[in-house]
Structure formats: C-alpha cells, structure tokens
Amino acid sequence: MIVCSCNAISDHDIRGAVVATDDAVFSPAQVYDCLGCTVRCGRCSQSVRRIIEEVPPRRGQCTKPPDADR
C-alpha cells in the first residue's frame, strides 16, 4: 500500500528501511533519508511513525537506491 504519494513510498519500503538501520531511535525523517528522498507535504508522517513503531529495528545497513539524490 502506498503511504506517501508524494514520493511513491509503500509500507513495505518503510518496513525495509526500519529493519535495515543501525539507529535505535528511528523517525520519519530518517526513513526518508534512508530511502533517498525528503518529506514533502508531511501528510504521511503519522502513518510512517505508526509503521515504525510496529516494526522492531534490526542491525543492518541502510541502503539507498543508486540513483537517490540528496
């Protein structure tokens, strides 16, 4: 399901970013950074935060897409 229509980010993308990070504290901004994009309108922030709280973080590396702009 698409959670962020501005960046076309799905709930699967968000869960993948959460489990791939070394950070203990994880925020919506960190999810966007990990996925190589930025928050635009902010309407999805509460949904992103809810998904973050559902998924326990695991150790790994945040892998950004090769064509991601900073």
Side-chain angles (χ1 to χ4, degrees), residues 13-43:
D13 296 329
I14 296 166
R15 286 182 180 90
V18 172
V19 299
T21 186
D22 286 333
D23 297 336
V25 176
F26 212 71
S27 69
Q30 287 172 303
V31 169
Y32 284 96
D33 186 49
C34 186
L35 295 173
C37 56
T38 59
V39 176
R40 293 186 183 176
C41 74
R43 291 182 188 161

Side-chain angles (χ1 to χ4, degrees), residues 1-4 8-18 35 47 51 54-55:
M1 168 179 68
I2 296 294
V3 175
C4 173
I9 296 174
S10 72
D11 58 322
H12 297 289
D13 296 329
I14 296 166
R15 286 182 180 90
V18 172
L35 295 173
S47 297
I51 293 169
E54 291 173 0
V55 180

